[in-house]
Amino acid sequence: MGYFPFFVDIAGRNGLIVGGGRVALHKLEKLLPYGARLTVVAPEITESMAQCAQENDICVIKRAFAPEDLTGMRFVIAASDDRGVNAEVGELCGEKGILVNVVDDKEACSFLFPSLVKAGKLGIGISTEGASPEIAASVRSQIACMIPAGMEEILDYLNTLRPLAKEYIKDNTRRAAFLKDMARTCMDGNMVFDEQETMRRLEKYRQDGEQCAAKAAGRVLLVGAGCGSYDLITLRGMRAIRRARVLVYDDLIDRRLLEDASESCERIYVGKRSGRHSMRQEQINSLLVQKAREGGLVVRLKGGDPFVFGRGMEELEALREAGIRAEYIPGITSCIAVPAFAGIPVTHREVSRSFHVITGHTAAGNQDGDLTQDIDFSLLARLEGTLVFLMGYSHLAQITEALMRCGKEGSAPAAVVHGGFDTAVTAVRGTLSDIAAKAAAAQIQTPAVIIIGDVCGVVNMVNI
């Protein structure tokens, strides 16, 4: 059958629910946000149904269904526990041309009850034409997770913005660009603007005309892809990828994230790993500025978190110096996640009350460099908390020797952990004095996180 998803205004319309049990209550609760004038007819009403009806001013008639109950009804839901009653309701509605939904009997329905997402003026209905309500519910949950928490407020704000935009921006093209830009900004930031900021933006569009509109449309989001599997990215980050016109991405990200970008999205790889630099940082900065000036949303996707040894602030500053609007979406950083996947918490009560993250990468950026020129190991050796080194695996022996030379006990627990995109990890545990040899023997792959401290002796957790 061809079920077309009409959106029908039922506010103030008469609707009948036949049944007073759990299923009928479920249908009633779905309809409540839409303002229909509902009546419930059933010989027996559950306590939950009675309470819901009382709280929402629903008319309840405690008796068996009668054909005259259909008089004046725009739609009917047959949800009683008696299949014979439901069939009778469906047949009568068919004769009278009344829309009817008969639970668990698709052939008797003239409309299906979709799985619903409701957030203010945003309404989404998902249907599998009765093939699998479970699939519809699953898709509904995924969609609901993508919607910002403040969607109702955002839509109300954008609705009031339309007449203002029509008054201030006479050109249709520029007005559409303004409304589109404001909608994306509100969605990305899960926010609305006050009256003063709204009027400032309107005035800017009106004064600057097409040049301003083009400039406002181009912006960059620095997005942390998280550490490991693609589903560890934040919902806000995922939404950004799906709306991107250009996606500029690094090496250490799960490639499945790229599949969430639209087909028209331009994907640009700028990966950088030790010994394999495909693009210098200055070139990346220039690329971001160039793509932003072309208009639309540019997403700079970086592994882990952009602000944890990701040079994200350098890119942000370069963009702002060029007059490009740039914002930041955090990601799960490897200094916490990778040890955790191996069962090592970076802090643990009465074991480690602090942790310190250090780059194991030399300022010169080469594997043969001397870390002692960049890092004060005497200071690190005196710290009581957990030491976490990122990008330092190639210097593991130099790190451990320097710490012991500066007074750190060789018996201090240590670990080296390599994490993959499926959250699986390879971990080696030992002490400061032998961890380099153990990691080499185990052939630990890069990238790897080095952890030094008593937390390395904590019993493994169970990963989910």
Side-chain angles (χ1 to χ4, degrees):
M1 297 181 67
Y3 292 98
F4 189 86
F6 286 105
F7 282 82
V8 180
D9 182 6
I10 62 171
R13 312 296 185 186
N14 292 326
L16 176 67
I17 298 177
V18 179
R22 179 183 59 81
V23 176
L25 175 60
H26 179 61
K27 302 293 186 183
L28 172 63
E29 290 173 335
K30 280 191 171 185
L31 289 167
L32 286 176
Y34 297 89
R37 188 184 297 115
L38 298 173
T39 299
V40 175
V41 174
E44 298 293 334
I45 305 291
T46 65
E47 183 178 342
S48 296
M49 172 67 89
Q51 181 178 349
C52 180
Q54 182 178 5
E55 291 174 352
N56 294 280
D57 197 24
I58 305 297
C59 176
V60 175
I61 303 173
K62 292 188 66 174
R63 59 164 171 76
F65 166 78
E68 55 266 27
D69 292 330
L70 300 178
T71 303
M73 295 298 168
R74 291 292 187 92
F75 63 92
V76 176
I77 297 170
S80 78
D81 295 329
D82 188 326
R83 295 182 66 88
V85 171
N86 291 344
E88 179 188 1
V89 173
E91 184 176 348
L92 288 172
C93 286
E95 294 173 358
K96 296 177 180 293
I98 301 173
L99 290 173
V100 64
N101 176 266
V102 182
V103 297
D104 296 330
D105 189 352
K106 190 177 87 167
E107 300 305 319
C109 295
S110 57
F111 78 93
L112 299 182
F113 229 95
S115 189
L116 296 168
V117 177
K118 179 70 171 167
K121 291 179 174 60
L122 177 66
I124 302 171
I126 302 103
S127 172
T128 61
E129 297 189 6
S132 175
E134 178 61 29
I135 293 295
S138 176
V139 173
R140 175 203 173 278
S141 297
Q142 294 177 45
I143 292 174
C145 289
M146 296 166 54
I147 299 172
M151 177 56 80
E152 183 172 358
E153 183 183 9
I154 289 171
L155 287 175
D156 287 341
Y157 169 73
L158 294 174
N159 192 43
T160 62
L161 198 60
R162 299 189 75 84
L164 276 174
K166 190 172 183 179
E167 177 184 350
Y168 273 76
I169 307 172
K170 300 304 181 183
D171 182 84
N172 291 339
T173 301
R174 285 190 284 120
R175 183 167 63 249
F178 170 77
L179 292 171
K180 187 176 182 179
D181 180 50
M182 291 293 281
R184 285 178 171 175
T185 301
C186 291
M187 278 282 289
D188 290 340
N190 190 24
M191 63 180 182
V192 298
F193 296 105
D194 59 23
E195 183 179 356
Q196 181 178 358
E197 179 62 16
T198 299
M199 297 308 297
R200 186 192 71 78
R201 288 171 176 253
L202 276 167
E203 190 65 29
K204 188 172 181 62
Y205 261 80
R206 182 169 70 169
Q207 290 178 355
D208 296 349
E210 294 180 3
Q211 183 178 358
C212 174
K215 182 179 179 182
R219 62 199 180 95
V220 177
L221 280 177
L222 269 65
V223 177
C227 178
S229 180
Y230 74 102
D231 56 1
L232 290 177
I233 194 173
T234 63
L235 292 174
R236 187 176 296 183
M238 184 67 79
R239 287 196 296 267
I241 292 173
R242 288 169 177 164
R243 290 195 296 274
R245 183 188 68 82
V246 180
L247 184 63
V248 181
Y249 63 98
D250 272 347
D251 189 81
L252 295 177
I253 64 166
D254 191 329
R255 291 301 190 274
R256 285 174 289 184
L257 287 171
L258 306 182
E259 298 173 6
D260 281 283
S262 67
E263 290 185 3
S264 61
C265 177
E266 180 183 2
R267 298 165 175 83
I268 304 174
Y269 171 69
V270 294
K272 296 194 301 178
R273 291 185 66 178
S274 179
R276 295 195 289 114
H277 289 203
S278 63
M279 187 176 290
R280 297 194 307 273
Q281 186 62 51
E282 294 77 11
Q283 292 175 303
I284 294 174
N285 295 348
S286 297
L287 174 67
L288 294 173
V289 171
Q290 173 195 335
K291 290 301 176 181
R293 284 176 174 163
E294 292 174 3
L297 176 63
V298 179
V299 169
R300 173 69 170 108
L301 189 62
K302 303 174 75 71
D305 183 278
F307 286 175
V308 181
F309 302 138
R311 306 187 73 170
M313 197 62 200
E314 295 177 41
E315 295 177 2
L316 200 64
E317 289 173 342
L319 289 163
R320 289 176 175 172
E321 286 177 8
I324 304 297
R325 187 152 53 95
E327 299 167 40
Y328 157 77
I329 297 176
I332 299 174
T333 173
S334 60
C335 67
I336 297 172
V338 171
F341 284 132
I344 301 173
V346 292
T347 65
H348 187 43
R349 188 178 180 184
E350 296 181 0
V351 175
S352 175
R353 303 176 73 89
S354 65
F355 70 98
H356 313 270
V357 186
I358 308 103
T359 175
H361 201 55
T362 65
N366 59 72
Q367 294 186 2
D368 300 323
D370 184 2
L371 280 181
T372 59
Q373 300 298 316
D374 301 311
I375 300 174
D376 186 350
F377 282 98
S378 61
L379 173 63
L380 296 180
R382 295 194 300 271
L383 295 174
E384 295 183 356
T386 306
L387 302 180
V388 181
F389 288 85
L390 301 183
M391 301 179 293
Y393 184 55
S394 62
H395 296 101
L396 177 56
Q398 187 181 147
I399 290 170
T400 56
E401 290 168 5
L403 286 171
M404 288 187 290
R405 188 167 58 249
C406 291
K408 194 80 170 174
E409 292 291 337
S411 59
V416 176
V417 184
H418 165 73
F421 293 133
D422 57 356
T423 68
V425 295
T426 305
V428 173
R429 300 189 190 219
T431 65
L432 191 60
S433 62
D434 64 16
I435 191 64
K438 286 187 173 182
Q443 297 183 329
I444 296 290
Q445 301 297 306
T446 59
V449 177
I450 303 165
I451 311 102
I452 299 168
D454 290 340
V455 291
C456 295
V458 173
V459 176
N460 285 6
M461 300 180 292
V462 176
N463 295 324
I464 297 177

